[in-house]
Every structure is written in C-alpha cells, then in structure tokens.
C-alpha cells in the first residue's frame, strides 16, 4: 500500500468513529432533551393541579360558611334578615326569597330598591320563573376539586368541556345526601320533590361573567331563599393561592371564563412563551383556569440541543484536529527517518569515492612505478583535488550539524571583493575545465570591501559550483556576476543545464531534498548543499534564492555590506 493510501486509511479510521460518536451523542442528547421537556411539563402540571385544588378548597370553604349562615337565619322577617346580611357581609352581593308558584318575593320585582337589584332580577329571570333547574349538577357547576388538568396541547375549549363533565363532589345538595345516603354521592340529574332542609349552589353565566347563587329551602323546595356571591370579594380571597413571588422563569395566571386574566404572578417578559406549559381547570369555578408558564434553564429543549450540538461539534472537531495533528507528526517522523537513512547512505557513498581515488593514486605513487614526471604530477593533482572535495564534504556535514544546533560561529572580516572572488574561482578552474564548463565572470561597479565571514561565503559559492558540475555540465557554461544592489551586493550563478522543475524550485532548499530525476540519480549527493548554503546566507544577513530563467538554473545570493551583529 502506498504512503498516501495509508494516510487516507488512517484518516478514515479516525473520521468514521468520530462521526459515529458525534451522531450517537446527538441522538442521546435529543432523547435527553425530550425527557427533560416532559419532566418539566409534568412538574408544571402537578403545580397547576395543586393550585387549582387549593383554590377549589378555598371556594368550598367560603360556600360552606355562607350556607351555614343561610341555614341559621330565623324565619321571621326573613327579607329583613337577608337584607341586613347583604349589607354586612362583603361576600354577599344580592339576597333573595323565592316561592313556588309566586316566583320572586324579595327583592320586589315590581319595585327594585336599586339598579343593582334590578340587574339581579333581570339576570336570573329564567331561574326565578322556574324555567331552569336550581342545581348546577346537570347544567354547569363542576365542583370537583382540580377537576381536570391538561397539557398545553389540549385546547382550552376541550379542557373546559372536560371540567364540565367532572363529577360533583364538593357541594352535595341536601336532596342528594338524602337520596343516596352518602356524603360524596353526585346529585341527581333532576330535583325530585325534596324533603325539608335542601340547599344548593347554582353557577350562572350572564354577560360573559360567572355568578354563583347559593340557596336554602326549609320546606322541600316550595320556598327558596339565598344569596348571590360577590365575585370580586371571593376572588380576593383566592389570590393568595397563586405563588406570590415565583422564582425567575416561572409565572402563574388565573383566568376567568372569558379568558380574562383575573390575577397573575411572576415575570412574563422573561418567559416569552405564548402558551402555558400546563393548565388546570377549577372545578368549583366553571370555565376558570390556572395556567403555569415556565422557562427551562437552558431556554427549552431547543436550547439544550443547540448548546449540546455545539459542544459535540467542538468535541468532534477537536478529535479530528488532534488526530490529524498526530497523523501529520507520524508522517513527518517517518519522512525524517527515511531522509536520515538515505542521508547516511548517500554521505557514506560520497565519502567513499574520493577516499578510494586518493588511496589508489597514493598507492601507485608509493609503488614507484610511475614512469613520467608529468603523470606523477597529474596523480598528485588528483589526490589534492579529491582531498579538497573530501574537505568540502566533511565541512558541509559539520556545518549542517552546527547549523541545526545553532552552534555555528562566524568570524567577520573585511573582504576585498574584487580580489577575493577571482582568486576563489581560479582554484576551481581545473575542476570546471575537466567537466567541460566554461566560466564567465563579470564584476560590476561595487563597493571595495564586504564585512562578512570568508569561509561561509566560500562554502556558499563552492556548493553552487559543485552543483553546476554535477547537474549542469552539459550546458557547458557557468556565468557568475557580482554587482552592487541597494544596501549590499548580489552574486548570481547561472548555468545552462536542465534547470529545476517549478514544483521543486523552493523545496530544493529543504534539507535532504533531491529532485528525483535520472540526472540526480546518476550523481552523488546528500541533499544538504543548498540547504546549508541558504542557512549560511541568512546567517550572514542575506538570502539565497532560485530565479526562474528560460534556460538552466540561476541562483541569486544577496548580502549586506556588513553582517548584522
Ligand atoms: P545534492 O546536490 O547533494 O543532492 P543540493 O542541496 O546541493 O543537494 O541540491 C538539491 C537538489 O537540487 C539536487 O539534488 C538537484 O536535484 C537540484 N539541483 C541543485 N543545483 C542544480 C543545478 N544547478 N541544476 C539542476 N539541478 C540542480
């Protein structure tokens, strides 16, 4: 398997489990959010139920108290008694006496004492005309405490219908008690001829308002007298049942039958919910509701999912980034290891060649078999040249390790440029000539001296010449030009060889990098020459770069006149 395929496989092995993990976590999050939402709803429902139950209880207590007073009223001067009671008790809005066959006796339907009395008479016209039943059982009243509770999903209408169907439990009439013998038995659908001591409550809707009418009949229904509750006074006694100062994010509402808010507590702006989380019907106040609004800490299940998704996304990206970084590191270590192995092989080979030549020529000279002095001279020159090559090679390797560790020392001195470069190139003439390369040197108008490290400069130039000999001998020409540029000098080394493919033009300055061509494979090399040359140029305050030319390779060395400290 190729290296790139291995990397793709490793990446897939990282990507797929990460994605699966992310998806799994998201699913878990969704179900957790749903669970949270439903538990939140259940809590709100319990709360609504409890409040509705308490309100129910309070209403029943008020009703019981009023009924008790009603029963205890003496029969003499009943109208007067009732009138006094009405005036003294804020819970009594209106009082009445009704007789079978005669209808309303008090207040006088012909001469009502006040507008309020006139309205009262008109409001219960059908009731006093005995056209509708006196009990709410079969009509509207639903006194079961906290009759039904529904989630916000159930419509208000539906909720109220449910409340209407709730059984009677809190307000059994006397006839109900007598007919069934059980305190909690529902009242009969239709009032039968009732024994003495009957009582009951009638809820009555008029002008979109709920009214509660309580009555007592001492004689089995022939005479009925009673009261109408002052709803405002009743409501003021119920308000304490809504939590007075609920925590932030919670709010409560008491709604009447026309959806008017009777009372509310808690901060509604912070909830921004259009629908209550839960509602409960109040059995003893038909059509009235308790609504509970609640904001979850994270802004609802949507908020939980959003925050969770963000966390999961960050987590997955972190895994992928971390994994990719590890893969990249592993790939780099592998590449470095490969480069080092090939470096060792290359350098050994490079060292071995001049050593073999030196030994061979030295042996021949030692044996004394060389006949002519010219031949001997040539052999000696070869030995010197090869040992110089060996010196350059070892110098490169030593420099490389020093540069890598940042331990390279530079000795700055004044260099006479016009003298230094021709002298250096003169020592290379033989090498170049043997390789069939003609050297052209051009020196433009330049400053006389350069303050830099002579050995480092020579090493840069010699590395460039080495490469021309190795890779561009076919071009047969090496043009070296020295000229002045802003703040320094520029030395260009251009040959007429094959040049460097554009993909490698920057990478040839990386350590161990060699262009993979047949030419390179024929030539020995460690891939260090240009990397060392560039590092030296930079350490001297300059730069070594490759310049694109039509034919061959061109290296440009720029240096400041003085090496920065
Ligand atoms: P080495 O010569 O030891 O391989 P270098 O760092 O000196 O290492 O060179 C890096 C690579 O750049 C060489 O392997 C060669 O492929 C390419 N190269 C350098 N100089 C030339 C040149 N003048 N012409 C063509 N290719 C060159």
């Amino acid at each position: 398997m190729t290296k790139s395929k291995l990397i793709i496989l490793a990446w897939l092995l990282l990507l797929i489990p990460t994605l699966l993990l992310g998806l799994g976590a998201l699913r878990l999050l969704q179900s957790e959010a749903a669970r949270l939402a439903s538990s939140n709803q259940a809590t709100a429902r319990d709360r609504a139920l409890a409040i509705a139950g308490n309100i129910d209880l309070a209403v029943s207590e008020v009703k019981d108290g009023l009924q008790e007073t009603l029963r205890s009223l003496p029969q003499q001067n009943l109208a007067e008694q009732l009138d006094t009671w009405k005036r003294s008790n804020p819970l009594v809005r209106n009082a009445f006496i009704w007789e079978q066959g005669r209808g309303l006796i008090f207040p006088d339907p012909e001469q009502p004492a006040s507008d309020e009395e006139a309205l009262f008479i008109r409001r219960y016209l059908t009731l006093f005309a005995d056209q509708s039943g006196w009990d709410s059982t079969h009509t509207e009243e639903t006194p079961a405490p906290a009759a039904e509770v529904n989630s916000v999903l159930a419509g208000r209408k539906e909720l109220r219908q449910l409340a209407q169907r709730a059984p009677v439990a809190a307000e059994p009439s006397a006839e109900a008690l007598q007919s069934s013998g059980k305190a909690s038995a529902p009242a009969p659908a239709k009032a039968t001829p009732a024994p003495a001591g009957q009582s009951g409550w009638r809820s009555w809707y008029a002008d979109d308002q709920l009214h509660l009418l309580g009555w007592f009949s001492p004689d089995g229904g022939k005479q009925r007298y009673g009261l109408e509750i002052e709803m405002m006074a009743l409501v003021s006694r119920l308000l304490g049942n809504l939590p007075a100062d609920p925590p932030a994010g919670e709010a409560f509402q008491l709604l009447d039958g026309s959806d008017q808010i009777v009372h509310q507590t808690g901060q509604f702006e912070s909830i921004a919910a259009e629908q209550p989380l839960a509602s409960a019907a109040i059995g003893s106040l038909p059509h009235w509701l308790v609504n509970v609004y609640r904001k979850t800490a994270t802004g609802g299940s949507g908020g939980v999912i959003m925050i969770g998704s963000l966390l999961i996304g960050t987590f997955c990206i972190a895994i992928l980034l971390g994994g990719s970084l590890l893969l990249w590191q592993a790939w780099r270590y592998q590449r470095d290891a490969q480069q080092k192995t090939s470096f060792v092989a290359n350098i050994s080979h490079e060292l071995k060649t001049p050593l073999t030549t030196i030994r061979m020529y030295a042996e021949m000279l030692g044996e004394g078999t060389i006949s002519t002095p010219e031949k001997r001279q040539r052999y000696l020159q070869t030995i010197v040249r090869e040992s110089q090559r060996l010196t350059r090679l070892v110098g490169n390797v030593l420099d490389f390790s020093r540069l890598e560790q940042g331990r390279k020392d530079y000795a700055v001195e004044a260099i006479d440029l016009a003298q230094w470069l021709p002298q250096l190139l003169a020592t290379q003439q033989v090498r170049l000539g043997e390789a069939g390369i003609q050297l052209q040197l051009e020196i433009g108008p330049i400053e006389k001296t350069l303050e830099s490290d002579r050995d480092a400069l020579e090493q840069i130039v010699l590395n460039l010449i080495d490469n021309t000999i190795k890779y561009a001998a076919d071009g047969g020409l090496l043009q070296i030009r020295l000229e002045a540029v802003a703040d320094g000098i520029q030395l260009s080394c251009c040959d007429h060889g094959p040049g460097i493919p554009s993909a490698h033009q920057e990478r040839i300055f990386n350590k161990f990098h060699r262009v993979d061509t047949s030419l390179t494979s024929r030539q020995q090399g460690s891939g260090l020459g240009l990397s060392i040359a560039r590092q030296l140029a930079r350490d001297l305050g300059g730069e070594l770069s490759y310049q694109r030319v039509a034919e061959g390779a061109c290296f440009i060395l720029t240096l400041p006149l003085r090496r920065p400290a």
Side-chain angles (χ1 to χ4, degrees):
M1 199 182 285
T2 62
K3 218 193 303 178
S4 59
K5 274 188 186 157
L6 251 173
I7 288 174
I8 292 173
L9 185 76
W11 217 81
L12 282 177
L13 282 176
L14 182 72
L15 183 77
I16 293 168
T18 309
L19 282 181
L20 287 177
L21 192 82
L23 282 175
L26 241 148
R27 289 295 294 271
L28 267 176
L29 192 78
Q30 276 171 342
S31 64
E32 183 59 12
R35 196 192 61 78
L36 243 166
S38 82
S39 94
N40 196 35
Q41 200 168 22
T43 316
R45 202 170 51 216
D46 290 349
R47 205 71 202 280
L49 256 177
I51 295 169
N54 285 345
I55 290 178
D56 235 2
L57 218 65
V59 173
S60 300
E61 267 172 28
V62 169
K63 282 180 172 177
D64 286 352
L66 291 170
Q67 278 288 358
E68 221 167 281
T69 315
L70 205 57
R71 282 166 186 269
S72 64
L73 283 179
Q75 295 297 308
Q76 299 93 347
N77 298 329
L78 188 58
E80 238 171 80
Q81 302 275 356
L82 283 168
D83 199 43
T84 317
W85 188 35
K86 180 178 100 178
R87 286 174 206 287
S88 62
N89 192 334
L91 275 167
V92 182
R93 182 174 176 181
N94 284 295
F96 69 94
I97 304 171
W98 175 89
E99 271 180 25
Q100 206 170 31
R102 289 180 62 192
L104 192 63
I105 292 170
F106 169 77
D108 187 355
E110 302 301 323
Q111 279 182 318
S114 64
D115 289 350
E116 171 59 31
E117 275 190 6
L119 282 172
F120 172 70
I121 295 163
R122 207 171 321 134
R123 193 154 52 236
Y124 296 95
L125 217 56
T126 53
L127 181 76
F128 294 140
D130 215 7
Q131 287 167 3
S132 51
W134 281 86
D135 262 315
S136 297
T137 325
H138 53 282
T139 53
E140 294 186 51
E141 190 169 14
T142 53
E148 295 284 343
V149 177
N150 261 6
S151 74
V152 288
L153 299 173
R156 192 176 165 80
K157 199 172 153 205
E158 200 180 325
L159 186 63
R160 288 188 165 131
Q161 277 168 0
L162 280 166
Q164 282 171 26
R165 286 203 300 272
V168 174
E171 298 292 337
S173 64
E175 61 234 76
L177 288 174
Q178 287 184 8
S179 65
S180 67
K182 281 184 201 164
S184 60
K190 191 80 188 168
T192 46
Q198 272 179 294
S199 70
W201 284 95
R202 179 74 163 92
S203 49
W204 193 263
Y205 259 93
D207 310 324
D208 263 354
Q209 298 251 323
L210 172 70
H211 303 273
L212 293 176
L213 196 87
W215 56 264
F216 176 70
S217 171
D219 51 10
K222 286 186 191 109
Q223 186 200 37
R224 291 176 205 256
Y225 55 90
L227 76 146
E228 183 193 43
I229 288 187
E230 174 56 81
M231 291 304 282
M232 296 299 283
L234 176 68
V235 163
S236 70
R237 290 174 184 226
L238 305 179
L239 300 186
N241 289 298
L242 291 190
D245 193 14
E250 248 184 19
F252 301 87
Q253 258 180 359
L254 180 64
L255 294 187
D256 69 11
S258 347
D259 275 347
Q260 296 298 315
I261 298 164
V262 177
H263 185 56
Q264 69 181 34
T265 58
Q267 302 229 323
F268 274 79
E269 316 80 58
S270 66
I271 296 167
E274 281 172 16
Q275 286 211 309
L277 195 57
S279 294
I282 304 163
S284 56
L285 298 173
H287 301 288
W288 285 41
L289 288 179
V290 171
N291 280 345
V292 175
Y293 294 82
R294 177 178 279 201
K295 189 173 95 174
T296 51
T298 45
S301 55
V304 173
I305 290 186
M306 208 187 79
I307 293 172
S309 308
L310 261 172
L311 285 175
I312 291 170
T314 317
F315 176 65
C316 289
I317 289 171
I319 292 182
L320 285 178
L321 279 180
S324 305
L325 201 77
L326 284 176
L327 276 174
W328 181 68
Q329 281 279 23
W331 173 78
R332 265 189 46 172
Y333 283 141
Q334 195 195 15
R335 190 197 58 187
D336 283 0
Q338 264 176 3
Q339 280 178 338
K340 277 174 190 156
T341 314
S342 67
F343 165 72
V344 172
N346 286 344
I347 209 78
S348 318
H349 196 67
E350 273 205 85
L351 290 172
K352 203 175 155 199
T353 317
L355 273 175
T356 315
T357 316
I358 291 169
R359 207 186 70 201
M360 193 179 78
Y361 282 97
E363 274 174 4
M364 284 200 289
L365 286 169
E367 281 165 10
T369 50
I370 314 297
S371 47
T372 59
E374 296 81 35
K375 245 188 173 177
R376 202 176 300 137
Q377 183 64 23
R378 227 180 46 241
Y379 282 10
L380 277 171
Q381 276 173 354
T382 310
I383 290 174
V384 171
R385 216 175 41 246
E386 287 301 301
S387 52
Q388 280 171 346
R389 185 174 150 197
L390 209 56
T391 310
R392 281 200 307 280
L393 264 170
V394 173
N396 264 347
V397 174
L398 286 177
D399 267 354
F400 172 68
S401 72
R402 283 195 201 112
L403 285 169
E404 281 279 285
Q405 294 163 18
R407 287 194 296 111
K408 170 101 179 128
D409 292 326
Y410 294 94
V412 178
E413 59 183 295
I415 304 165
D416 184 343
L417 283 170
Q419 215 185 6
W420 164 74
L421 187 61
Q423 266 178 8
L424 174 69
L425 293 178
T427 62
Q428 303 302 311
Q429 276 291 7
V430 182
R431 273 203 318 145
L432 286 163
E434 278 179 357
I437 300 169
Q438 190 204 337
L439 177 69
Q440 275 180 8
L441 174 63
E442 201 183 321
I443 300 182
I446 46 164
E447 291 282 333
K448 220 171 157 350
T449 52
L450 178 78
E451 283 185 32
S452 203
D453 183 299
R454 183 187 292 268
D455 289 344
L457 265 182
E458 282 186 6
Q459 197 165 355
I460 297 171
V461 177
L462 291 180
N463 277 351
L464 294 177
I465 293 175
D466 271 356
N467 281 351
T468 308
I469 294 171
K470 280 200 281 186
Y471 308 114
D474 286 353
L477 184 64
L478 172 62
Q479 291 167 305
I480 297 183
R481 186 180 155 75
L482 181 62
E483 60 193 319
V485 286
D487 302 332
I489 58 140
Q490 175 177 297
L491 186 125
S492 54
C493 257
C494 301
D495 61 46
H496 285 246
I500 305 211
S502 50
H504 294 269
Q505 283 170 6
E506 198 42 45
R507 289 162 66 196
I508 48 171
F509 294 102
N510 292 346
K511 56 186 179 189
F512 308 122
H513 186 81
R514 305 195 76 208
V515 182
D516 198 7
T517 60
S518 59
L519 178 67
T520 316
S521 62
R522 268 189 275 123
Q523 293 296 339
Q524 292 169 10
S526 54
L528 282 183
L530 287 177
S531 133
I532 291 172
R534 174 175 265 185
Q535 194 52 54
L536 289 173
R538 286 181 176 173
D539 284 359
L540 296 180
E543 181 60 282
L544 177 68
S545 51
Y546 181 83
Q547 194 179 55
R548 221 179 262 261
V549 279
E551 193 191 349
C554 214
F555 291 91
I556 310 287
L557 170 69
T558 50
L559 287 172
L561 285 178
R562 180 170 301 186
R563 178 188 182 238

